[in-house]
Amino acid sequence: MKVFLRYEDNEDDSTHKILKITLPKKWKTGPTSRLLEQFVESYNEGKEGKINTLDVNSLHLSIRQPTNDNDDDDTETELKELPSDGVVVEIIPDREDVFICRGASQTTKEINDERQAEIDKEKEATKHLSKCVHFGCNNRFPKGGPYPVCNYHSSPPVFHETAKFWSCCPNKKAYDWEEFQRLPTCQKGRCTDVKDEEGGSQKQFLGGCDLRDKMNGPTLKSIDDFNASAAAGGSEGAPVLERLRHVLEELGVENELFDQVLGGIKKDVMEDSGSAEEDAGVMDEAMTVLGGKLKQSMKAIAVDQLRIK
């Protein structure tokens, strides 16, 4: 296993350094703090350290990760802090660029506590507010009103492969999350926190299955697929995920691990969409997200296989 440790957190290019390390077996199962200590020691002994001495206690490690679940090659990325007590082989991919950044390292518990504090703070700030149920509107307002002016869409969004668009405005597409959020709305009215009868049963997301059904009409399902779909409120993604669960089990991936990953994705989808319950739309979007993550992993393996070692 190799990693590339990069220090670029300084405007002076002459202080930048890249250190390529082939990790001993003992280091792979050790904490990430060992990598940071090794880099700082090497850095301070070199020419860069003579003009810019580093303090290991005021630095942390980070890796770049996509800012969303889009599997485009050009998707935007952000630096994600690595816990100082994290096991190297579990959180750093082989041949990964690892960045040395300013700010003291934190343990896994400290990072999780910080994130939880941010979530709790946001919940506290919004607990007395209602969220508009119109598609594409993110307004929050006091429960019971007054209700602000609302610019929204009449139908749910479609996330199909790399394209993102609103089903009521199919000719306006986006290919990254920020661009999608900037798409103009098609309706104007007042915000509401009450779903109408049609909206209550409408999916929050549409995917490739919905598009194919619309173009080709319904397809015949096996009894197992029909039962899985019915149990998930009509989700087209449910039987696909169930089959994937069994296939991965045959490949050595435990059901418990699959359920944990899928459960985390569904939770993220519900938080992003504001859904209060795990409906068919959430299940279908979770299938799309998981598919994108699996595709990214396969791409990474393919790239690694093509590298000259």
Side-chain angles (χ1 to χ4, degrees):
M1 178 179 180
K2 296 182 176 69
V3 294
F4 299 87
L5 299 173
R6 309 174 70 99
Y7 176 75
E8 302 171 350
D9 201 358
N10 194 305
E11 294 181 357
D12 184 355
D13 291 350
S14 66
T15 66
H16 296 179
K17 182 172 182 175
I18 300 175
L19 182 63
K20 178 182 176 181
I21 298 180
T22 299
L23 301 182
K25 184 176 181 180
K26 187 187 301 182
W27 284 36
K28 296 178 187 178
T29 56
T32 61
S33 58
R34 182 174 293 173
L35 294 182
L36 180 59
E37 292 166 0
Q38 174 64 33
F39 179 86
V40 171
E41 180 181 340
S42 173
Y43 184 96
N44 287 339
E45 290 176 353
K47 62 180 181 179
E48 300 87 357
K50 301 209 178 338
I51 57 176
N52 181 49
T53 304
L54 298 181
D55 177 11
V56 70
N57 295 315
S58 62
L59 298 168
H60 67 271
L61 301 179
S62 298
I63 59 174
R64 287 204 171 276
Q65 291 193 337
T67 55
N68 52 57
D69 294 313
N70 189 345
D71 62 357
D72 285 347
D73 292 334
D74 298 327
T75 188
E76 293 185 10
T77 61
E78 62 183 356
L79 287 174
K80 178 185 177 183
E81 180 179 353
L82 299 178
S84 59
D85 57 348
V87 177
V88 171
V89 73
E90 294 180 359
I91 61 176
I92 301 179
D94 186 25
R95 300 176 181 273
E96 183 75 1
D97 287 321
V98 181
F99 296 86
I100 286 78
C101 306
R102 293 181 223 177
S105 297
Q106 299 184 91
T107 63
T108 302
K109 183 179 185 305
E110 289 170 335
I111 292 175
N112 290 339
D113 288 348
E114 186 176 279
R115 290 175 182 166
Q116 189 59 49
E118 292 176 0
I119 294 173
D120 293 343
K121 182 178 179 181
E122 183 178 351
K123 285 183 178 179
E124 180 65 26
T126 60
K127 71 178 183 179
H128 299 300
L129 301 177
S130 293
K131 183 178 179 181
C132 182
V133 298
H134 286 151
F135 292 114
C137 178
N138 294 315
N139 285 340
R140 291 185 180 273
F141 44 86
K143 294 179 179 178
Y147 300 97
V149 173
C150 180
N151 295 294
Y152 63 100
H153 288 275
S154 59
S155 301
V158 177
F159 301 131
H160 179 51
E161 295 182 347
T162 61
K164 299 172 174 59
F165 58 96
W166 294 93
S167 53
C168 49
C169 306
N171 295 324
K172 298 174 183 177
K173 291 183 171 65
Y175 294 89
D176 66 59
W177 188 252
E178 285 77 15
E179 185 184 1
F180 171 69
Q181 291 182 311
R182 291 194 295 269
L183 291 177
T185 53
C186 61
Q187 304 290 324
K188 187 170 184 177
R190 288 281 174 184
C191 288
T192 179
D193 53 3
V194 179
K195 291 185 178 182
D196 55 31
E197 291 185 6
E198 180 182 354
S201 60
Q202 196 168 17
K203 288 184 176 182
Q204 295 298 304
F205 299 94
L206 300 179
C209 295
D210 301 289
L211 297 181
R212 287 189 290 273
D213 286 348
K214 187 174 181 180
M215 294 175 61
N216 304 325
T219 56
L220 294 176
K221 300 178 182 177
S222 69
I223 293 177
D224 289 341
D225 284 357
F226 178 84
N227 291 337
S229 177
S235 166
E236 296 293 334
V240 176
L241 291 169
E242 186 64 23
R243 291 197 300 273
L244 178 62
R245 185 174 188 265
H246 292 307
V247 170
L248 289 177
E249 183 183 20
E250 292 180 7
L251 294 175
V253 178
E254 297 85 355
N255 286 336
E256 293 78 7
L257 178 58
F258 179 86
D259 294 340
Q260 178 184 343
V261 171
L262 180 59
I265 291 174
K266 288 190 288 188
K267 181 179 178 182
D268 290 342
V269 169
M270 291 172 68
E271 289 179 356
D272 291 343
S273 66
S275 299
E277 56 185 25
E278 187 183 303
D279 57 17
V282 169
M283 185 69 79
D284 291 344
E285 176 61 11
M287 178 191 70
T288 301
V289 172
L290 180 56
K293 290 182 180 295
L294 291 174
K295 183 177 179 181
Q296 283 281 51
S297 298
M298 296 294 285
K299 281 183 177 179
I301 294 172
V303 169
D304 191 56
Q305 290 171 338
L306 293 173
R307 280 192 174 131
I308 299 176
K309 302 189 178 180

Coordinates of all heavy atoms in Angstrom, one line a residue, residues 87-133:
V87 N -7.9 3.8 11.7 CA -7.0 2.8 11.2 C -6.7 3.1 9.7 O -7.6 3.2 8.9 CB -7.6 1.4 11.3 CG1 -6.6 0.3 10.7 CG2 -7.8 1.1 12.8
V88 N -5.4 3.2 9.4 CA -5.0 3.6 8.0 C -5.7 2.9 6.9 O -6.3 3.4 6.0 CB -3.5 3.5 7.9 CG1 -3.0 3.8 6.5 CG2 -2.8 4.5 8.8
V89 N -5.6 1.5 7.0 CA -6.1 0.7 5.9 C -7.6 0.8 5.7 O -8.2 0.5 4.7 CB -5.6 -0.8 6.0 CG1 -6.4 -1.4 7.2 CG2 -5.8 -1.5 4.7
E90 N -8.3 1.2 6.8 CA -9.8 1.2 6.8 C -10.3 2.5 6.2 O -11.5 2.6 5.7 CB -10.3 1.0 8.2 CG -10.1 -0.4 8.7 CD -10.6 -0.6 10.1 OE1 -11.2 0.4 10.7 OE2 -10.5 -1.7 10.7
I91 N -9.5 3.6 6.3 CA -10.1 4.9 5.9 C -9.3 5.6 4.8 O -9.7 6.7 4.3 CB -10.2 5.9 7.1 CG1 -8.9 6.1 7.7 CG2 -11.2 5.3 8.1 CD1 -9.0 7.2 8.9
I92 N -8.1 5.0 4.4 CA -7.3 5.7 3.3 C -7.2 4.6 2.2 O -6.6 3.6 2.4 CB -5.9 6.1 3.8 CG1 -6.1 7.1 5.0 CG2 -5.1 6.7 2.7 CD1 -4.8 7.6 5.5
P93 N -7.7 4.9 1.0 CA -7.5 4.0 -0.1 C -6.0 3.9 -0.6 O -5.3 4.8 -0.3 CB -8.4 4.6 -1.2 CG -9.3 5.5 -0.5 CD -8.6 6.0 0.7
D94 N -5.7 2.8 -1.2 CA -4.3 2.7 -1.7 C -4.0 3.7 -2.8 O -4.9 4.1 -3.6 CB -4.2 1.3 -2.4 CG -2.8 1.0 -2.8 OD1 -1.9 1.5 -2.3 OD2 -2.6 0.1 -3.7
R95 N -2.8 4.3 -2.7 CA -2.3 5.3 -3.6 C -3.1 6.6 -3.5 O -3.2 7.4 -4.5 CB -2.3 4.8 -5.1 CG -1.4 3.6 -5.3 CD -1.5 3.0 -6.7 NE -0.7 1.9 -6.8 CZ 0.6 1.9 -7.1 NH1 1.2 3.0 -7.4 NH2 1.3 0.8 -7.2
E96 N -3.7 6.9 -2.4 CA -4.5 8.1 -2.2 C -3.6 9.3 -1.9 O -2.5 9.2 -1.3 CB -5.4 7.9 -1.0 CG -6.4 9.0 -0.7 CD -7.5 9.1 -1.7 OE1 -7.6 8.3 -2.7 OE2 -8.3 10.1 -1.6
D97 N -4.0 10.5 -2.3 CA -3.4 11.7 -1.9 C -3.9 12.1 -0.6 O -5.1 12.3 -0.4 CB -3.7 12.8 -2.9 CG -3.0 12.7 -4.2 OD1 -1.8 12.2 -4.2 OD2 -3.5 12.9 -5.3
V98 N -3.0 12.2 0.4 CA -3.4 12.6 1.8 C -2.8 14.0 2.0 O -1.6 14.2 1.9 CB -2.9 11.6 2.8 CG1 -3.3 12.0 4.2 CG2 -3.4 10.2 2.5
F99 N -3.7 14.9 2.4 CA -3.2 16.3 2.6 C -3.0 16.7 4.0 O -3.8 16.3 4.9 CB -4.3 17.3 2.0 CG -4.5 17.1 0.5 CD1 -5.4 16.1 0.0 CD2 -3.8 17.9 -0.4 CE1 -5.6 16.0 -1.3 CE2 -4.0 17.7 -1.8 CZ -4.9 16.8 -2.2
I100 N -1.9 17.4 4.3 CA -1.6 17.9 5.6 C -2.1 19.3 5.7 O -1.8 20.2 4.9 CB 0.0 17.9 5.9 CG1 0.5 16.4 6.1 CG2 0.3 18.7 7.1 CD1 0.6 15.6 4.8
C101 N -3.1 19.5 6.6 CA -3.8 20.7 6.7 C -3.6 21.4 8.1 O -3.3 20.7 9.1 CB -5.3 20.5 6.5 SG -5.6 19.7 4.9
R102 N -3.8 22.7 8.2 CA -3.7 23.4 9.5 C -4.9 23.0 10.4 O -6.0 22.8 9.9 CB -3.7 24.9 9.2 CG -2.5 25.4 8.5 CD -2.6 26.9 8.3 NE -2.1 27.3 7.0 CZ -2.2 28.5 6.6 NH1 -2.6 29.5 7.4 NH2 -1.8 28.8 5.4
G103 N -4.7 23.1 11.7 CA -5.7 22.7 12.6 C -5.4 21.4 13.3 O -5.0 20.4 12.7
A104 N -5.5 21.4 14.6 CA -5.1 20.2 15.4 C -5.9 19.0 15.0 O -7.1 19.1 14.7 CB -5.3 20.5 16.9
S105 N -5.3 17.8 15.1 CA -6.0 16.6 14.8 C -7.1 16.3 15.9 O -7.0 16.7 17.0 CB -5.1 15.4 14.8 OG -4.1 15.5 13.7
Q106 N -8.2 15.6 15.4 CA -9.2 15.2 16.4 C -9.4 13.7 16.3 O -9.2 13.1 15.2 CB -10.5 15.9 16.0 CG -10.5 17.4 16.1 CD -11.9 18.0 15.9 OE1 -12.7 18.2 16.8 NE2 -12.2 18.3 14.6
T107 N -9.9 13.1 17.4 CA -10.2 11.7 17.4 C -11.5 11.4 16.7 O -12.3 12.4 16.4 CB -10.2 11.1 18.8 OG1 -11.3 11.8 19.5 CG2 -8.9 11.4 19.5
T108 N -11.8 10.2 16.4 CA -13.1 9.9 15.8 C -14.3 10.4 16.7 O -15.2 11.0 16.2 CB -13.3 8.3 15.7 OG1 -12.2 7.8 14.9 CG2 -14.6 8.0 15.1
K109 N -14.2 10.2 18.0 CA -15.2 10.7 18.9 C -15.4 12.2 18.9 O -16.5 12.7 18.8 CB -14.9 10.2 20.4 CG -16.0 10.6 21.4 CD -15.7 10.2 22.8 CE -16.8 10.5 23.7 NZ -17.2 11.9 23.8
E110 N -14.2 12.9 18.8 CA -14.3 14.4 18.8 C -14.9 14.9 17.5 O -15.7 15.8 17.5 CB -12.9 14.9 19.0 CG -12.3 14.8 20.4 CD -10.9 15.1 20.4 OE1 -10.2 15.0 19.4 OE2 -10.4 15.4 21.5
I111 N -14.6 14.2 16.4 CA -15.2 14.6 15.1 C -16.7 14.3 15.1 O -17.5 15.2 14.7 CB -14.5 13.9 13.9 CG1 -13.1 14.4 13.8 CG2 -15.3 14.1 12.6 CD1 -12.3 13.6 12.8
N112 N -17.1 13.1 15.6 CA -18.5 12.8 15.6 C -19.3 13.7 16.6 O -20.4 14.1 16.3 CB -18.7 11.3 16.1 CG -18.2 10.4 15.0 OD1 -18.1 10.7 13.8 ND2 -17.9 9.1 15.4
D113 N -18.7 14.0 17.7 CA -19.3 14.9 18.7 C -19.5 16.3 18.1 O -20.6 17.0 18.3 CB -18.5 15.1 20.0 CG -18.6 13.8 20.8 OD1 -19.4 13.0 20.5 OD2 -17.7 13.7 21.7
E114 N -18.6 16.8 17.3 CA -18.7 18.1 16.7 C -19.8 18.1 15.6 O -20.5 19.1 15.5 CB -17.3 18.4 16.0 CG -17.2 19.8 15.4 CD -15.9 20.1 14.9 OE1 -15.0 20.5 15.7 OE2 -15.7 20.0 13.6
R115 N -19.8 17.0 14.8 CA -20.9 17.0 13.8 C -22.3 16.9 14.5 O -23.2 17.5 14.0 CB -20.7 15.7 12.9 CG -19.5 15.9 12.0 CD -19.2 14.6 11.2 NE -18.1 14.7 10.4 CZ -17.5 13.6 9.8 NH1 -17.9 12.4 10.0 NH2 -16.4 13.8 9.0
Q116 N -22.4 16.1 15.6 CA -23.6 16.0 16.2 C -24.1 17.3 16.8 O -25.3 17.6 16.8 CB -23.5 14.9 17.3 CG -24.9 14.5 18.0 CD -25.9 14.0 17.0 OE1 -25.6 13.1 16.2 NE2 -27.1 14.6 17.0
A117 N -23.1 18.1 17.3 CA -23.4 19.4 17.9 C -24.0 20.3 16.8 O -24.9 21.1 17.1 CB -22.2 20.0 18.5
E118 N -23.4 20.2 15.6 CA -23.9 21.0 14.5 C -25.4 20.6 14.2 O -26.2 21.5 13.9 CB -23.0 20.9 13.3 CG -21.6 21.5 13.5 CD -20.7 21.3 12.3 OE1 -21.2 20.6 11.4 OE2 -19.6 21.7 12.4
I119 N -25.6 19.3 14.1 CA -27.0 18.8 13.8 C -27.9 19.3 14.9 O -29.1 19.7 14.6 CB -26.9 17.3 13.7 CG1 -26.1 16.8 12.5 CG2 -28.4 16.7 13.6 CD1 -25.9 15.3 12.4
D120 N -27.5 19.1 16.2 CA -28.4 19.5 17.3 C -28.7 21.0 17.2 O -29.8 21.5 17.5 CB -27.8 19.2 18.6 CG -27.7 17.7 18.8 OD1 -28.4 16.9 18.1 OD2 -26.9 17.2 19.7
K121 N -27.7 21.8 16.9 CA -27.9 23.3 16.8 C -28.9 23.6 15.7 O -29.7 24.5 15.9 CB -26.5 23.9 16.5 CG -26.6 25.4 16.5 CD -25.2 26.0 16.3 CE -25.2 27.6 16.2 NZ -23.9 28.1 16.0
E122 N -28.7 22.9 14.5 CA -29.7 23.2 13.4 C -31.1 22.8 13.8 O -32.1 23.5 13.5 CB -29.2 22.5 12.2 CG -30.1 22.7 10.9 CD -29.6 22.0 9.7 OE1 -28.4 21.5 9.7 OE2 -30.3 22.0 8.7
K123 N -31.2 21.6 14.5 CA -32.6 21.2 14.9 C -33.2 22.1 15.8 O -34.4 22.4 15.8 CB -32.5 19.8 15.5 CG -32.2 18.6 14.5 CD -32.2 17.3 15.2 CE -32.0 16.2 14.2 NZ -32.0 14.8 14.9
E124 N -32.4 22.6 16.8 CA -32.9 23.6 17.8 C -33.4 24.9 17.1 O -34.4 25.4 17.5 CB -31.8 23.9 18.8 CG -32.2 24.9 19.9 CD -33.3 24.3 20.8 OE1 -33.4 23.1 20.9 OE2 -34.1 25.1 21.4
A125 N -32.6 25.3 16.1 CA -33.0 26.5 15.4 C -34.2 26.4 14.5 O -34.9 27.4 14.3 CB -31.8 27.0 14.5
T126 N -34.5 25.2 14.1 CA -35.7 25.0 13.2 C -36.8 24.2 13.8 O -37.8 24.0 13.1 CB -35.2 24.2 11.9 OG1 -34.7 22.9 12.3 CG2 -34.1 25.0 11.2
K127 N -36.8 23.9 15.1 CA -37.8 23.0 15.7 C -39.2 23.7 15.8 O -40.2 23.1 15.8 CB -37.4 22.5 17.1 CG -37.3 23.6 18.2 CD -37.0 22.9 19.5 CE -37.0 23.9 20.6 NZ -36.6 23.3 21.9
H128 N -39.2 25.0 15.8 CA -40.4 25.8 15.8 C -40.9 26.2 14.4 O -41.8 27.0 14.3 CB -40.3 27.0 16.8 CG -40.0 26.6 18.2 ND1 -40.8 25.8 18.9 CD2 -38.9 26.9 19.0 CE1 -40.3 25.6 20.1 NE2 -39.1 26.3 20.2
L129 N -40.2 25.7 13.4 CA -40.5 26.1 12.0 C -41.0 25.0 11.2 O -40.7 23.8 11.5 CB -39.2 26.7 11.4 CG -38.5 27.9 12.0 CD1 -37.3 28.2 11.2 CD2 -39.4 29.1 12.1
S130 N -41.8 25.3 10.3 CA -42.3 24.3 9.3 C -41.6 24.4 8.0 O -41.1 25.5 7.7 CB -43.8 24.5 9.1 OG -44.6 24.2 10.2
K131 N -41.5 23.3 7.3 CA -40.8 23.4 6.0 C -41.9 23.3 4.9 O -42.8 22.4 5.0 CB -39.8 22.2 5.8 CG -39.1 22.3 4.5 CD -38.0 21.1 4.5 CE -37.3 21.2 3.2 NZ -36.3 20.1 3.1
C132 N -41.8 24.1 3.9 CA -42.7 24.1 2.8 C -42.7 22.7 2.1 O -41.6 22.1 1.9 CB -42.4 25.2 1.8 SG -43.6 25.2 0.4
V133 N -43.9 22.2 1.7 CA -43.9 20.8 1.1 C -43.9 20.9 -0.4 O -43.9 19.9 -1.1 CB -45.2 20.1 1.6 CG1 -45.2 19.9 3.1 CG2 -46.5 20.8 1.2

